[in-house]
C-alpha cells in the first residue's frame, strides 16, 4: 500500500506542477495578450497600427491618440538607466567578490540587498522632494557648463534645468536597479571555480587581469542575466517615474526636458478615462508595453545564447 | 506528522470560509468613484455607522471607475465629479443628485508674495496656461495688480498629470471663459496641455509649486486651505469683483446655478453669474443604482448626511449644499420612488 501511495503522489506531483508550469509560463501570458488585444479593438479600428505608433499627439479631449512619445520615453529612460547602472553594478560585484576583505563582504552584500527592499514610491518621493532640487540647482547647471563647448552633447543638456526630467528619472531608476543587477552579477562571479582563478594567479596574472580575462568572460551570461532582470524592472517602473518624469507626452529633445512613459501614462489616466475610445487606447498602449517587454527579453536571451556559444568554442 | 499538517490546512480554509460568510450578513452599502469626496464620505460613513449601525464602504477609485461600476451595478452608488446626461442615466437606470461642493484654487510661489493674494482674470489665467504670458512682470499681470511690483521671474506652469475631476473643473472654467482655450485645448479630466509640467495629485502640484520659484498650479480648495497656500483672487463672471475661494463665494455659485430635477441636476458650477460667485466651483454627484436592493439605504444615508453632516464637511473644508437644493433632492428621490 505504501508503495502505490507514494507512486500516486509521484504522478500527482508531476501533473500538478506541470499544470502550473504550463499555466503560468505559457497560458497566462497568452491569455493576457488576448485580453489586451480584445480590449484595444476599438483603438485599433480607429487608428490602425502605423498611425498609433507614429502619432505624437495625445489629446483626450479630441480623442486623438498616439503612442510614440510614451514608447520613446520608456526606451530612453530605461536605456540611460542601464547605461549608468551596469558599470557601477559590475564594479560593486567585483569589489565584493574579489577585493573586499571577508568581514566586509557580508556587510556590503546585506547593505546592497536592503536597497532592493525599499518600495519604489519611496524612491519617487525622495527623488521628487530631495534629489530633484540638487539636480536643478547644482548638477544640471554644472553639466550644462561642462558640455557647452561640444556641439552634440550641449544639445543633450540644453534647456532650462527643472530637476523633473529625463536625466533625474534615469539616475533614480539606475539607483533602483543597481541592487538587482549587482546581486545577480555577484552570484555569477562566485560561481567561477577557484581553480581557474588560482591557476591564473599562478601564471603571474595581476588581480585586474584575473577579473578581466578569467572572471568576466567566464560569467558573461550571468552578467547578461543581471542586465535583463534589471531592464525588465526599469521598463515597468511606474511610481518613481511618475513623480520625476514631468508627465508631458512629448519626445524629449534634451535630457533636461520632461517626458512620460507607457506605464506612467497608464497609471495616471486609467482611473479617469471616461470614453470607450480613450480607455481602449490605453489598453492599446499597454499592448505595446507587453510587446516591447517581450521583445526586449527575447532579444536579451538571444544575446546570451550567442555569448555562451562564443565562449564554449 | 504529514497528515496533521494537512488537517491544519483544511481547518484554515474552513475557517476563512466561515469568516467571510458571517461577515456578509450585516447591513452594508458599497459605493465607489471620485476621489474628491472620499474624505467627507468616509467621515460621514463613520458617524453614520455609529448612529445607525449601517456600514457604508466607499472606495475612491476615480470618477471614470465610479461611473463604470454604477453602470454595471456592481456597487450601490457611484460618485462622479462630472454629471451624466439624463439620457445616459435612463439607459442604465440610474438616478443622479449632487452631494458635496468644492472649488479649485490657484496657488503660486513668488518671493515676497507668500501672504499677498494676486488678482487674476480669465485672460490672465488663460494666457498663462496657454503659454502666452511667460513672465510674472508681464504688463497685463502688472495692470491687474496695481498695488504691488511683480518680479521679473519666468512663469512655470504646473498641472495635474493624473486624470482628475480637478482638471475637469479647471479646464471647463477656461473653456467657458476663454474662447481660445476652448478652440485649442478644450475641457476634460486630462487634456493636451500646451505648456507646463505634470505632477501627481494635489500633493504633487503643491510640492512642486512650493519648491520652484515662479511656478503656478491649481489645486482643490480644501487642499489649499489645509496647507495655508497663497491663493489668487479670481475675477467673477460679472466682472466686478475679484474673489477668493471661501464658503460664501463657493456657496453663492451653487445657489445661483439653475438646478432642475427634469435634467437630473445636470449642471456644472463653473463660471456662474452673480457678484459673489467664485468662478471655479464644482459638485460631486452621486449616481444611485435604482435596481440595487439597497437603493433606499443609500438615500437614507445621504438624507442623514444632509441633515447632520454639514459640520463634519465644513471641518474638512468642504462646502455643504445650500438648503433649497437639499429640499429639491428629497423631492427628486420621491419622484424616483427611492425614498
Amino acid at each position: 500500500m505504501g508503495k502505490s501511495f507514494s507512486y500516486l503522489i509521484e504522478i500527482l506531483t508531476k501533473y500538478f506542477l506541470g499544470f502550473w508550469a504550463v499555466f503560468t509560463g505559457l497560458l497566462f501570458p497568452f491569455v493576457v495578450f488576448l485580453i489586451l488585444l480584445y480590449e484595444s479593438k476599438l483603438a485599433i479600428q480607429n487608428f490602425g497600427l502605423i498611425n498609433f505608433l507614429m502619432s505624437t499627439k495625445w489629446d483626450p479631449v479630441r480623442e486623438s491618440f498616439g503612442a510614440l512619445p510614451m514608447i520613446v520615453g520608456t526606451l530612453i529612460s530605461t536605456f540611460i538607466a542601464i547605461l549608468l547602472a551596469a558599470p557601477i553594478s559590475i564594479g560593486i560585484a567585483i569589489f565584493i567578490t574579489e577585493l573586499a576583505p571577508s568581514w566586509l563582504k557580508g556587510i556590503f552584500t546585506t547593505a546592497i540587498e536592503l536597497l532592493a527592499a525599499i518600495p519604489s514610491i519611496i524612491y519617487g518621493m525622495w527623488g521628487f522632494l530631495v534629489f530633484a532640487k540638487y539636480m536643478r540647482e547644482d548638477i544640471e547647471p554644472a553639466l550644462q557648463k561642462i558640455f557647452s563647448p561640444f556641439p552634440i552633447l550641449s544639445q543633450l543638456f540644453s534647456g532650462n534645468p527643472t530637476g523633473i526630467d529625463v536625466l533625474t528619472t534615469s539616475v533614480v531608476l539606475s539607483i533602483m536597479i543597481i541592487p538587482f543587477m549587482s546581486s545577480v552579477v555577484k552570484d555569477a562571479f562566485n560561481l567561477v571555480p577557484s581553480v581557474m582563478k588560482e591557476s591564473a594567479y599562478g601564471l603571474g596574472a595581476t588581480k585586474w587581469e584575473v577579473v578581466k580575462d578569467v572572471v568576466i568572460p567566464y560569467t558573461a551570461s550571468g552578467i547578461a542575466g543581471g542586465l535583463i532582470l534589471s531592464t525588465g524592472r526599469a521598463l515597468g517602473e511606474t511610481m518613481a517615474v511618475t513623480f520625476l518624469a514631468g508627465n508631458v507626452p512629448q519626445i524629449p529633445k534634451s535630457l533636461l526636458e520632461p517626458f512620460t512613459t507607457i506605464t506612467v501614462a497608464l497609471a495616471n489616466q486609467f482611473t479617469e478615462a471616461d470614453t470607450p475610445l480613450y480607455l481602449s487606447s490605453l489598453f492599446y498602449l499597454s499592448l505595446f508595453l507587453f510587446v516591447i517587454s517581450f521583445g526586449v527579453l527575447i532579444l536579451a536571451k538571444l544575446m546570451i545564447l550567442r555569448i555562451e556559444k562564443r565562449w564554449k568554442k | 506528522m504529514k497528515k496533521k499538517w494537512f488537517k491544519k490546512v483544511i481547518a484554515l480554509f474552513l475557517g476563512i470560509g466561515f469568516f467571510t460568510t458571517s461577515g456578509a450578513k450585516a447591513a452594508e452599502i458599497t459605493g465607489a468613484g471620485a476621489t474628491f469626496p472620499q474624505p467627507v464620505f468616509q467621515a460621514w460613513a463613520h458617524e453614520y455607522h455609529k448612529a445607525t449601525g449601517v456600514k457604508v464602504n466607499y472606495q475612491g477609485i476615480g470618477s471614470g471607475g465610479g461611473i463604470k461600476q454604477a453602470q454595471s451595478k456592481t456597487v450601490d452608488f457611484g460618485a462622479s465629479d462630472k454629471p451624466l446626461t439624463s439620457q445616459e442615466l435612463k439607459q442604465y437606470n440610474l438616478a443622479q443628485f449632487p452631494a458635496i461642493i468644492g472649488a479649485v484654487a490657484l496657488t503660486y510661489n513668488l518671493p515676497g508674495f507668500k501672504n499677498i493674494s494676486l488678482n487674476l482674470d480669465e485672460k490672465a489665467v488663460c494666457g498663462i496656461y496657454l503659454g502666452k504670458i511667460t513672465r510674472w512682470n508681464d504688463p497685463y499681470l502688472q495692470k491687474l495688480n496695481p498695488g504691488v511690483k511683480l518680479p521679473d521671474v519666468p512663469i512655470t506652469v504646473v498641472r495635474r498629470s493624473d486624470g482628475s475631476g480637478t482638471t475637469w473643473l479647471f479646464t471647463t472654467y477656461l473653456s467657458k471663459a476663454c474662447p481660445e482655450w476652448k478652440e485649442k485645448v478644450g475641457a476634460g479630466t486630462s487634456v493636451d496641455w500646451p505648456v507646463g509640467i505634470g505632477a501627481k495629485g494635489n500633493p504633487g502640484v503643491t510640492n512642486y509649486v512650493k519648491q520652484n520659484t515662479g511656478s503656478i498650479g491649481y489645486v482643490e480648495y480644501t487642499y489649499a486651505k489645509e496647507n495655508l497656500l497663497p491663493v489668487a483672487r479670481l475675477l467673477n463672471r460679472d466682472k466686478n469683483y475679484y474673489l477668493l475661494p471661501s464658503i460664501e463665494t463657493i456657496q453663492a455659485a451653487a445657489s445661483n446655478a439653475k438646478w432642475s430635477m427634469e435634467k437630473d441636476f445636470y449642471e456644472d458650477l463653473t463660471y456662474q453669474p452673480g457678484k459673489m460667485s467664485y468662478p471655479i466651483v464644482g459638485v460631486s454627484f452621486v449616481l444611485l443604482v435604482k435596481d440595487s436592493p439597497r437603493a433606499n439605504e443609500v438615500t437614507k444615508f445621504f438624507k442623514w448626511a444632509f441633515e447632520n453632516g454639514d459640520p463634519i464637511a465644513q471641518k474638512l473644508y468642504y462646502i455643504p449644499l445650500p438648503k433649497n437644493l437639499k429640499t429639491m433632492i428629497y423631492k427628486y428621490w420621491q419622484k424616483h420612488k427611492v425614498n
Side-chain angles (χ1 to χ4, degrees):
Chain A
M1 191 245 154
K3 209 168 192 186
S4 66
F5 183 68
S6 67
Y7 180 70
L8 189 70
I9 293 279
E10 188 86 342
I11 295 282
L12 275 180
T13 314
K14 189 174 153 193
Y15 284 104
F16 186 69
L17 294 182
F19 166 75
W20 278 114
V22 169
F23 179 73
T24 54
L26 293 173
L27 224 52
F28 191 66
F30 187 65
V31 169
V32 168
F33 180 80
L34 284 185
I35 290 172
L36 288 179
L37 198 65
Y38 174 76
E39 292 286 350
S40 43
K41 207 173 79 188
L42 193 61
I44 296 173
Q45 282 167 353
N46 258 281
F47 305 115
L49 178 69
I50 303 295
N51 259 342
F52 191 70
L53 199 62
M54 287 301 150
S55 165
T56 55
K57 196 122 194 87
W58 188 268
D59 187 342
V61 178
R62 287 176 186 77
E63 300 208 307
S64 152
F65 299 106
L68 194 62
M70 286 82 166
I71 293 175
V72 170
T74 306
L75 293 178
I76 288 183
S77 57
T78 303
F79 178 70
I80 299 175
I82 298 287
L83 212 63
L84 293 173
I88 297 173
S89 311
I90 294 173
I92 290 172
I94 292 174
F95 179 76
I96 290 178
T97 54
E98 307 297 327
L99 303 174
S102 54
W103 60 271
L104 246 181
K105 276 183 195 178
I107 298 174
F108 260 95
T109 312
T110 321
I112 285 164
E113 274 162 9
L114 275 180
L115 268 184
I118 299 176
S120 58
I121 189 157
I122 305 288
Y123 280 104
M125 288 166 74
W126 169 78
F128 180 65
L129 297 172
V130 182
F131 187 57
K133 190 170 155 248
Y134 291 106
M135 289 298 281
R136 175 175 68 243
E137 285 167 6
D138 307 313
I139 300 171
E140 287 174 354
L143 285 172
Q144 282 184 324
K145 216 177 250 172
I146 296 169
F147 289 112
S148 63
F150 309 103
I152 296 168
L153 288 171
S154 67
Q155 169 60 35
L156 272 184
F157 293 97
S158 63
N160 187 21
T162 56
I164 303 291
D165 50 33
V166 183
L167 189 64
T168 312
T169 310
S170 305
V171 171
V172 172
L173 266 183
S174 75
I175 298 172
M176 294 175 69
I177 59 182
I178 280 173
F180 290 88
M181 215 189 265
S182 62
S183 69
V184 174
V185 174
K186 185 201 70 178
D187 290 344
F189 282 2
N190 275 332
L191 289 178
V192 178
S194 41
V195 184
M196 282 180 74
K197 283 193 271 183
E198 275 156 21
S199 47
Y201 284 123
L203 290 170
T206 60
K207 240 179 194 159
W208 167 238
E209 282 165 345
V210 169
V211 168
K212 178 169 69 99
D213 296 327
V214 177
V215 175
I216 291 184
Y218 190 83
T219 54
S221 64
I223 295 175
L227 277 177
I228 295 171
L229 194 69
S230 31
T231 307
R233 173 148 179 157
L235 276 176
E237 181 48 49
T238 312
M239 276 325 287
V241 179
T242 187
F243 276 93
L244 297 167
N247 307 293
V248 180
Q250 62 174 7
I251 296 172
K253 285 172 215 64
S254 102
L255 294 182
L256 304 190
E257 275 187 6
F259 73 112
T260 189
T261 68
I262 297 177
T263 51
V264 167
L266 290 176
N268 275 328
Q269 298 179 28
F270 222 94
T271 49
E272 298 286 341
D274 41 13
T275 65
L277 183 58
Y278 190 5
L279 196 66
S280 178
S281 299
L282 288 172
F283 272 110
Y284 200 9
L285 201 59
S286 50
L287 187 68
F288 272 101
L289 181 66
F290 191 89
V291 171
I292 290 173
S293 311
F294 235 73
V296 167
L297 290 187
I298 288 172
L299 211 73
K301 266 272 180 269
L302 288 178
M303 240 170 60
I304 297 183
L305 282 180
R306 267 186 63 180
I307 295 169
E308 275 180 343
K309 244 187 209 159
R310 202 186 321 153
W311 286 104
K312 287 228 172 92
K313 269 179 196 167
Chain B
M1 171 68 187
K2 261 182 196 163
K3 272 186 185 163
K4 258 187 197 164
W5 173 82
F6 194 61
K7 269 184 191 165
K8 266 184 196 165
V9 171
I10 288 182
L12 186 71
F13 272 107
L14 286 177
I16 290 171
F18 275 122
F19 269 113
T20 44
T21 45
S22 62
K25 272 180 199 162
E28 208 169 304
I29 311 170
T30 49
T35 48
F36 167 68
Q38 190 180 8
V40 69
F41 281 5
Q42 279 172 351
W44 282 345
H46 183 73
E47 292 300 318
Y48 190 61
H49 182 60
K50 269 201 262 173
T52 63
V54 178
K55 227 177 170 179
V56 181
N57 282 322
Y58 182 76
Q59 299 162 353
I61 57 169
S63 293
I67 293 172
K68 242 167 268 141
Q69 296 223 352
Q71 285 173 348
S72 59
K73 309 187 199 308
T74 45
V75 289
D76 301 319
F77 70 96
S80 168
D81 296 330
K82 210 168 148 177
L84 294 184
T85 60
S86 296
Q87 199 192 343
E88 285 173 291
L89 293 167
K90 216 169 252 163
Q91 193 186 337
Y92 295 99
N93 201 20
L94 300 171
Q96 171 176 267
F97 58 90
I100 193 82
I101 305 172
V104 175
L106 275 162
T107 180
Y108 44 82
N109 175 348
L110 267 184
F113 284 76
K114 201 153 186 337
N115 299 312
I116 300 176
S117 283
L118 289 174
N119 290 341
L120 296 175
D121 66 3
E122 300 93 333
K123 238 175 151 179
V125 179
C126 188
I128 290 171
Y129 272 83
L130 278 173
K132 287 163 94 187
I133 297 176
T134 56
R135 300 195 85 79
W136 280 104
N137 65 346
D138 189 280
Y140 190 76
L141 296 184
Q142 187 63 70
K143 206 184 86 196
L144 298 180
N145 296 280
V148 292
K149 184 158 171 29
L150 289 163
D152 182 15
V153 172
I155 299 176
T156 309
V157 170
V158 189
R159 40 87 180 171
R160 290 281 287 272
S161 64
D162 44 336
S164 81
T166 318
T167 300
W168 183 75
L169 283 180
F170 184 65
T171 51
T172 304
Y173 157 73
L174 282 177
S175 294
K176 283 185 182 175
C178 169
E180 199 183 343
W181 182 272
K182 191 175 181 187
E183 185 200 318
K184 284 189 176 157
V185 186
T189 51
S190 57
V191 299
D192 187 16
W193 298 92
V195 288
I197 273 180
K200 193 164 171 54
N202 284 305
V205 172
T206 310
N207 272 308
Y208 194 86
V209 171
K210 264 188 189 163
Q211 285 183 15
N212 289 271
T213 306
S215 51
I216 182 166
Y218 62 89
V219 291
E220 270 159 24
Y221 162 71
T222 49
Y223 203 83
K225 194 86 187 167
E226 272 169 34
N227 292 282
L228 305 171
L229 306 174
V231 167
R233 283 174 210 275
L234 295 180
L235 187 65
N236 63 0
R237 185 177 178 167
D238 296 359
K239 302 205 192 307
N240 44 14
Y241 286 102
Y242 285 94
L243 300 171
L244 278 176
S246 71
I247 293 186
E248 293 76 42
T249 60
I250 294 169
Q251 234 171 12
S255 307
N256 286 326
K258 290 191 190 70
W259 298 103
S260 115
M261 283 201 275
E262 284 66 44
K263 288 198 297 176
D264 296 286
F265 301 100
Y266 185 94
E267 182 68 73
D268 79 78
L269 297 185
T270 57
Y271 213 46
Q272 289 292 339
K275 71 171 184 181
M276 285 304 280
S277 299
Y278 183 74
I280 323 180
V281 175
V283 154
S284 278
F285 292 90
V286 170
L287 304 170
L288 179 65
V289 180
K290 285 198 280 181
D291 294 337
S292 159
R294 287 170 295 277
N296 283 329
E297 293 288 331
V298 175
T299 50
K300 247 186 237 164
F301 167 64
F302 280 104
K303 180 153 196 189
W304 178 91
F306 289 157
E307 276 163 8
N308 307 294
D310 287 0
I312 302 171
Q314 275 173 339
K315 218 193 260 168
L316 296 166
Y317 299 109
Y318 286 89
I319 315 296
L321 301 181
K323 213 167 189 171
N324 56 347
L325 185 54
K326 285 180 185 170
T327 345
M328 207 190 235
I329 293 171
Y330 300 152
K331 271 191 207 145
Y332 175 79
W333 287 342
Q334 276 168 0
K335 195 182 122 193
H336 282 267
K337 302 191 181 66
V338 283
N339 195 14

